[in-house]
Amino acid sequence: MNHYETVFILNPVLSEDQIKETVKKFEDFLVSNGAKMISKEDWGLKKLAYPIQHKKSGFYHLFEFTVPGEAISPLELAFRRDERVMRYLTVKLDKHAIAWAEKRRTRNKEKA
């Protein structure tokens, strides 16, 4: 089982219900492929560094999970097929990145 982080940007014209439905869809997809969800973060609506599909902002979401490596290609294919997703990036975490992610999670819990 490898440790991964995925950040994806959703179209800013989506309603709150459509955003929740899309996030739930990808979370269910991961769990059905044997993933163990470690953390989910909703970063909200943020301004983009450059326009994507003529949009200047998007809803950012982060998933941190462990899953066998074979499940990443189908996940990224699902991201490409969904028109609500503007961009995505999946990164395999090494031991240093895992430690940093744990620090980030504890810092976010302290803020809340």
Side-chain angles (χ1 to χ4, degrees):
M1 294 278 262
N2 297 322
H3 204 114
Y4 293 96
E5 239 181 28
T6 297
V7 176
F8 56 98
I9 307 171
L10 298 176
N11 199 317
V13 300
L14 297 175
S15 70
E16 190 72 30
D17 291 335
Q18 290 172 319
I19 292 168
K20 287 179 183 175
E21 174 190 324
T22 306
V23 171
K24 180 79 172 135
K25 170 189 164 186
F26 290 114
E27 181 181 358
D28 292 344
F29 182 87
L30 282 168
V31 172
S32 68
N33 282 310
K36 178 183 169 233
M37 297 300 288
I38 295 170
S39 172
K40 295 179 294 185
E41 295 180 22
D42 175 7
W43 293 348
L45 185 67
K46 296 204 175 274
K47 187 174 184 259
L48 302 173
Y50 55 89
I52 301 172
Q53 301 171 357
H54 304 290
K55 308 284 190 301
K56 294 184 179 183
S57 61
F59 290 101
Y60 281 69
H61 288 272
L62 174 125
F63 286 166
E64 186 180 340
F65 55 95
T66 58
V67 71
E70 309 83 54
I72 298 301
S73 290
L75 172 67
E76 292 187 343
L77 181 63
F79 278 134
R80 280 193 294 270
R81 288 182 173 166
D82 195 327
E83 69 227 11
R84 298 171 287 194
V85 177
M86 294 168 46
R87 287 283 193 276
Y88 64 89
L89 179 65
T90 301
V91 178
K92 182 178 174 184
L93 303 179
D94 63 1
K95 65 180 181 180
H96 304 292
I98 292 169
W100 185 87
E102 288 174 10
K103 286 180 189 174
R104 187 189 71 232
R105 281 196 307 273
T106 56
R107 188 175 60 236
N108 288 344
K109 284 180 185 176
E110 290 171 359
K111 285 183 182 178

